[in-house]
Each structure stands twice: as C-alpha cells, then as structure tokens.
Amino acid sequence: MQTRRTEWLIPVLLALGAAAALWYYWIQVNKTPPAPAPEVPVQEQSRAEPEPVHPLQEPAPRSAERGELVPLPPLDQSDDYFRLEMSELAGDAIGELLVESGLIERIVATVDNLPRDHVAERIRPLQRLGGQFIVEPQDGDDAYLLTEANFERYTPLVDLVEGADLHSAGELYRRFYPLFQKAYVDLGYPQGYFNDRLVEVIDHLLSTPDVDDAVALVRPHVLYEYADPELEELSSGQKLLIRMGSRNRSRVKQTLREFRGIITSL
C-alpha cells in the first residue's frame, strides 16, 4: 500500500518541479531590464591660467577736452609711433639713441635678459654710447682699473632717464602694455606677464652691490673681466650698473625704485 502511494506521488512531484522551472524561466525572460544608471558627466579639469602678480589696469578714458586716445598700431608697425611718444616724454635726445626697428620687441628681450649672463647687442634698443671703454693699467701684469671717463659715458643717458616724468612714463607704458605683452608672449612666454617680469628684473637690479669706483679688472683673453670673482659672477644688468660708477648707479637705482612703485600701483 505504501509503495503505491509512493509510485503516484513521484510523478506529481516531478510535474510540480517542471512547472516551477517553466514559471521561473518565463519570469526571467519577460522581466523588464533595470534602467541604466544615469551617466554622471566627467567634468574636465579646468586649466586655469596663472593670474598676474602685478596686473595693469587699462588706461582710463580721456575727457572730451583731452580727446580720445589713438588706437594702438600693430606691434610690427609701432616703431615710429612709440619713438615719437618717447621723444615727447624724454626729449629728442632719447629719440636719437633709439634703434630704428623692433623697439618694443628689443626692450622686452633686453629686460628679460638683464638677469642673465649676456645681452646680445642685436637685441638692444639703444645705439652704442659715444666714447671708448678706457682702463688704467696698474703695476703688475694683467691688472687694470676702471676710469672716471667710463662713468661719464653713461651720465647723459642717466640724465635723460632721471629727468623724465616717471608718472607720465608709467602712463605711456600702461597705454602700450598690450604691445609689450604681445612681444613677451612672442618671445616664448605664452602664460607669462611682462609686467611681472619687469618688476622681477627691477628687483634684481636693485640688489646690485654698491662697490667703490676703483674696480679692478683683468684681461685673460680679449675682453676685460672683473678681478673680483663675485663681481664677475654678477648678471649682465648688474655688471652694467657697476660700469656706470657709484654716482650714476645710485641715481639709476632711485629711478628704478620710483618706477617700480608706479607700475605696481597702476
């Protein structure tokens, strides 16, 4: 009797198992797939350009009485215009000292190179100063001193710089600053700011040591060198201030301090 119950129960269990399997299969096939998770857009990292340390504000608009400023010419057409402005600022003598072409580009390149070992003559914005480099031979082989005549060569130029109205010079610089900035970018500083570099170079020049005018020289090769190794290690700009003599150097440093204050507050 027990055996018969087991015999008919087995087919029932198998049928129920098959039905359950079919039901599960049907559920899986017809189940609505879950909605995909919304994609979160990947935000690109902002490449913020560095901000200038010493930004320059654009010139204020002129009043009706003074008239409008003439728009700046392109950099490659700015020489005559800039030379005229410089002559009005510092007199005709400065115009005669300036080179004929590439004025703003040369100024920018020279400023950038003053803290370096050498400033190539081809990028200098000024003509050669009159007179010759004169030394005074000393006792012993290969020993010389700078002479007063060398200091005097720089005095007319220092007079022009010192006599200029620095506030007007600052306004002129601010007005032409877009051209200075373009020349600086073209020089190889796409994210740099020329005014920051100018302030940096002024600070470098102001750190030039004050030495006595009796500067000893040697001539190991064609060119003269400073006998003091520490002076010989100075940059080209600092060596230039040494060659000017203590009086001219003091006057130039004072002018640089004043101009630095102007271009960092415009």
Side-chain angles (χ1 to χ4, degrees), residues 134-147:
I134 304 174
V135 298
E136 181 180 328
Q138 300 298 294
D139 295 336
D141 295 334
D142 197 31
Y144 307 89
L145 284 179
L146 279 175
T147 66

Side-chain angles (χ1 to χ4, degrees), residues 9-72:
L9 184 59
I10 289 174
V12 172
L13 293 175
L14 290 175
L16 290 175
L22 290 172
W23 177 257
Y24 178 78
Y25 174 76
W26 185 86
I27 289 296
Q28 294 298 316
V29 170
N30 293 276
K31 183 169 63 175
T32 303
E39 294 185 3
V40 179
V42 179
Q43 295 183 352
E44 295 184 1
Q45 294 182 351
S46 59
R47 298 181 179 178
E49 294 184 359
E51 294 293 329
V53 179
H54 303 288
L56 283 181
Q57 303 297 326
E58 293 186 3
R62 289 191 174 186
S63 62
E65 293 79 9
R66 297 180 61 190
E68 294 296 328
L69 290 173
V70 177
L72 288 178

Side-chain angles (χ1 to χ4, degrees), residues 106-167:
R106 288 171 182 260
I107 292 173
V108 168
T110 296
V111 167
D112 186 53
N113 279 274
L114 284 175
R116 310 185 199 279
D117 294 336
H118 179 67
V119 177
E121 186 170 348
R122 61 182 175 80
I123 67 171
R124 296 177 186 176
L126 298 178
Q127 308 281 359
R128 276 183 172 273
L129 295 177
Q132 296 181 344
F133 186 73
I134 304 174
V135 298
E136 181 180 328
Q138 300 298 294
D139 295 336
D141 295 334
D142 197 31
Y144 307 89
L145 284 179
L146 279 175
T147 66
E148 184 69 25
N150 288 296
F151 309 147
E152 294 174 353
R153 294 172 61 210
Y154 295 96
T155 300
L157 178 60
V158 176
D159 289 342
L160 286 174
V161 173
E162 190 180 55
D165 183 339
L166 293 184
H167 288 281

